[in-house]
Amino acid sequence: MVNKNKLIINKGNYLENAVMDSHTFWYKSNNVKKLINESDLVGFYKENLLDNAIAESTALSNMHIYEKWRDFLHNKTMPDLCSVKETNFKCLKCPYRNMHVNYCLKVYNITPQEFFDNRYSEPINVTKKITNQQFKSWFKEFINFYRTTPKKNGSMRSTNTIVVYIKQIKRWQKIMNREMGTNYDFASSIKIKETQTIIEPISPTDLQELSTAILNNSAELTADPLSAKRLKAVYFLMLQTGLRLNEVCLLDKNNFKVLSDYTGELKIHGKGSKKRIVGLSQETVLLIQEYLKERNKNIIDTKAALFLNSKFERMKKNSIIGMYKRISKKLNINFSAHALRRTSASLRVVEGADTLDLMNNFGWTSENVAKRYVHSAKNIESINKQKNFNPYSANQKLIEND
């Protein structure tokens, strides 16, 4: 008897392989060797970012923006500005940047190393053929696309995310100017107001429901006892301290210190390789200790990382992001790691923290960023007060005083 399920699976694999092999087919049909991979093309840019004292975690988390910009420029410049058209070879109208690069190796009879040594020189590089005005027009088109186009999950990118896009392309512009001796300034053509009137934290009712569920029902939200204790430790740590995702993932056990009064401290490797110390409440210390105790329950734990994933390796950002997404879906409460950071900062202001407190605790070097949270908390407080404002009774008080 024929297994219909097996046929469906085989058909799915066939279609998947067909898509995967479309690039291989292009290389074979055009007699082009694939000597340079996509990862090779972005490596040099990453090194330049690190040379500018940008933390590796920051460079890696923003590489996708550079890749989008690179692919956008390839689609804009090809085939009109294709340098191959100036040779005896045929322009193949390469659909992807990587294909064009490998075809250039064949056209100019050069090695991959020679390509990288001359990647900012003509005829390999066509950037010099693009005017500053043209770049300005394309840059606006690029930014406006991501401003107005939803992400895969249907949500729009925040103003802060678009600001990161602009900053990333400004870094690219700076590297191009340095490597090619140009004076492009197109990336300064768009200015987005980086401050927002109100920074939306998680609502008090949602936060109470979320925190209660994680504290009391973590076993129902995770797969095993260790994952449950890790969820509680990570969630309440991030809520209390407002740590960034990268900062949580980079924590080692020797960064965690318990004090004599059962509170604690954490040494943080923050953004831009800046270090700071954050304070931990007794409750947060206890949750971390319970997680570490569970880790050592059945094995001798020699791992340096404070938090491990299901494979017993250092926890990565995607593990936390995925964990929070699953909980959001189960509880029907929309929250994220960054929402916890915003909420933590806002609640600190409610408890009396000033701008300097926020800069020290959350690792912000800009006073303006910290002020945004202070102003936001004050705005929310004013709105809540207005909800209880009765102009008639207020006016009556004035009459009585008169």
Side-chain angles (χ1 to χ4, degrees):
M1 183 176 178
V2 178
N3 189 329
K4 292 183 179 180
N5 290 331
K6 188 174 181 180
L7 284 176
I8 293 172
I9 292 171
N10 288 338
K11 183 180 179 182
N13 289 339
Y14 171 77
L15 292 173
E16 182 181 351
N17 290 333
V19 173
M20 291 175 64
D21 289 340
S22 63
H23 288 200
T24 303
F25 176 78
W26 184 92
Y27 280 105
K28 286 185 176 180
S29 61
N30 290 293
N31 194 24
V32 176
K33 293 182 179 179
K34 186 177 182 180
L35 301 176
I36 296 178
N37 296 313
E38 285 290 337
S39 56
D40 301 323
L41 291 173
V42 300
F44 182 84
Y45 184 70
K46 173 189 165 187
E47 290 172 11
N48 273 270
L49 290 178
L50 297 179
D51 289 342
N52 283 278
I54 294 175
E56 183 173 6
S57 58
T58 303
L60 289 174
S61 63
N62 290 330
M63 285 305 296
H64 71 284
I65 302 173
Y66 162 68
E67 292 168 1
K68 290 173 182 176
W69 173 245
R70 176 204 62 199
D71 294 340
F72 175 84
L73 288 181
H74 175 75
N75 292 331
K76 285 293 185 182
T77 56
M78 300 296 164
D80 293 344
L81 298 181
C82 182
S83 57
V84 174
K85 293 162 69 173
E86 301 169 6
T87 70
N88 294 327
F89 283 79
K90 177 185 177 183
C91 175
L92 300 179
K93 298 181 180 179
C94 306
Y96 295 99
R97 162 75 174 160
N98 192 49
M99 294 173 176
H100 172 72
V101 168
N102 282 294
Y103 186 41
C104 282
L105 298 182
K106 177 181 178 179
V107 170
Y108 298 110
N109 192 25
I110 57 176
T111 64
Q113 187 58 52
E114 287 173 327
F115 166 81
F116 286 110
D117 290 342
N118 299 280
R119 67 182 302 176
Y120 294 108
S121 306
E122 291 190 73
I124 294 174
N125 191 288
V126 300
T127 308
K128 280 189 175 181
K129 295 180 180 180
I130 308 170
T131 66
N132 193 65
Q133 191 60 37
Q134 183 65 74
F135 260 130
K136 187 179 291 187
S137 175
W138 288 346
F139 181 52
K140 286 182 178 179
E141 182 182 339
F142 176 79
I143 293 299
N144 284 332
F145 174 81
Y146 288 103
R147 264 179 177 167
T148 58
T149 305
K151 295 186 288 186
K152 290 181 179 179
N153 63 6
S155 64
M156 302 300 293
R157 292 170 180 83
S158 68
T159 302
N160 291 337
T161 298
I162 298 301
V163 169
V164 173
Y165 272 60
I166 293 173
K167 287 181 177 178
Q168 186 72 351
I169 306 306
K170 282 184 176 179
R171 288 172 181 152
W172 179 88
Q173 176 184 266
K174 185 177 181 180
I175 292 173
M176 293 299 105
N177 284 339
R178 186 185 69 204
E179 296 294 331
M180 301 192 304
T182 51
N183 294 300
Y184 292 125
D185 64 354
F186 65 88
S188 303
S189 61
I190 296 180
K191 290 182 172 62
I192 294 182
K193 189 176 181 182
E194 296 190 32
T195 58
Q196 295 174 316
T197 307
I198 296 179
I199 298 170
E200 290 286 349
I202 302 170
S203 73
T205 51
D206 280 351
L207 184 64
Q208 184 177 26
E209 183 181 344
L210 178 63
S211 299
T212 302
I214 290 176
L215 184 63
N216 299 328
N217 303 311
S218 58
E220 298 175 11
L221 300 172
T222 54
D224 54 73
L226 181 59
S227 297
K229 291 186 184 296
R230 184 189 64 189
L231 167 61
K232 287 195 285 188
V234 171
Y235 170 83
F236 285 102
L237 170 65
M238 297 182 76
L239 179 59
Q240 195 221 318
T241 63
L243 291 183
R244 301 177 178 95
L245 275 173
N246 283 336
E247 292 171 346
V248 174
C249 295
L250 290 173
L251 285 172
D252 285 334
K253 287 187 290 189
N254 61 13
N255 299 141
F256 174 51
K257 181 180 179 182
V258 181
L259 304 179
S260 58
D261 62 352
Y262 303 107
T263 61
E265 291 180 352
L266 272 180
K267 291 182 180 179
I268 307 299
H269 298 278
K271 203 172 183 180
S273 300
K274 293 181 176 64
K275 297 180 181 179
R276 71 183 190 279
I277 292 181
V278 300
L280 303 177
S281 67
Q282 293 178 349
E283 292 80 6
T284 302
V285 167
L286 181 61
L287 291 173
I288 294 175
Q289 287 179 322
E290 287 180 350
Y291 163 68
L292 293 176
K293 184 179 178 180
E294 186 72 25
R295 255 172 60 175
N296 284 278
K297 197 171 183 179
N298 299 315
I299 62 170
I300 299 174
D301 181 9
T302 59
K303 300 288 185 178
L306 183 60
F307 296 111
L308 303 176
N309 61 20
S310 57
K311 296 179 181 178
F312 233 67
E313 299 170 345
R314 182 179 292 276
M315 201 173 193
K316 296 180 180 178
K317 290 197 309 181
N318 287 341
S319 296
I320 302 177
I321 292 171
M323 181 170 68
Y324 287 167
K325 281 184 177 179
R326 288 192 296 272
I327 294 170
S328 291
K329 190 173 181 180
K330 283 185 178 181
L331 300 180
N332 196 27
I333 297 175
N334 187 25
F335 83 104
S336 65
H338 196 66
L340 286 177
R341 181 170 168 82
R342 291 198 303 266
T343 304
S344 180
S346 299
L347 292 175
R348 286 282 286 119
V349 174
V350 171
E351 289 294 304
D354 58 20
T355 303
L356 186 58
D357 289 327
L358 295 182
M359 291 175 69
N360 289 334
N361 296 157
F362 292 85
W364 290 312
T365 55
S366 169
E367 188 177 356
N368 290 331
V369 175
K371 282 181 178 178
R372 286 170 53 197
Y373 284 87
V374 175
H375 293 161
S376 176
K378 296 297 182 185
N379 284 337
I380 292 173
E381 184 181 358
S382 297
I383 291 170
N384 288 333
K385 284 182 178 179
Q386 191 175 33
K387 292 175 183 177
N388 298 317
F389 169 60
N390 187 327
Y392 304 104
S393 61
N395 188 58
Q396 187 63 38
K397 287 179 182 178
L398 289 175
I399 294 173
E400 291 172 359
N401 290 336
D402 286 341

